[in-house]
Amino acid sequence: IAIMGNYPNYKASKVARISYNSKVYDSKIKSKEERFENLHFDLPSSLEKKIQKDSIKICNKIKVNGYARLDWKLDDKENPFF
């Protein structure tokens, strides 16, 4: 997710889910050297809102200015963690 703005006024982007043809998200995927990733914007609305809200809380806590990218993961029960 991307967070844009200056402390304490932020806006959150839509939340993307990344898929890729590998077991590990490695530097070859990240650099687009050999493998490519796909972005999907298909999270349930309630989950997306929670990630957006929590991302803004984190940015407020550390007083981000400009923009930030926050990478989240989901556990087996689809609970997000940072």
Side-chain angles (χ1 to χ4, degrees), residues 25-80:
Y25 188 81
D26 60 17
S27 61
K28 290 180 182 179
I29 294 171
K30 197 171 193 175
S31 69
K32 316 296 187 270
E33 202 174 292
E34 292 181 16
R35 292 174 276 222
F36 297 95
E37 64 192 15
N38 296 305
L39 297 178
H40 309 274
F41 296 90
D42 58 357
L43 290 179
S45 178
S46 59
L47 179 57
E48 180 173 52
K49 286 177 185 173
K50 176 175 179 32
I51 291 172
Q52 288 170 326
K53 180 181 164 192
D54 290 349
S55 295
I56 288 173
K57 282 183 183 178
I58 290 168
C59 288
N60 270 311
K61 192 75 166 171
I62 61 175
K63 298 181 180 176
V64 168
N65 283 309
Y67 64 90
R69 173 182 152 177
L70 288 82
D71 293 341
W72 292 78
K73 291 186 176 188
L74 299 178
D75 65 16
D76 293 341
K77 296 180 183 176
E78 295 201 357
N79 296 309

Side-chain angles (χ1 to χ4, degrees), residues 10-21:
Y10 301 109
K11 291 188 179 186
S13 70
K14 296 210 38 92
V15 178
R17 178 177 58 82
I18 299 173
S19 66
Y20 44 88
N21 294 328

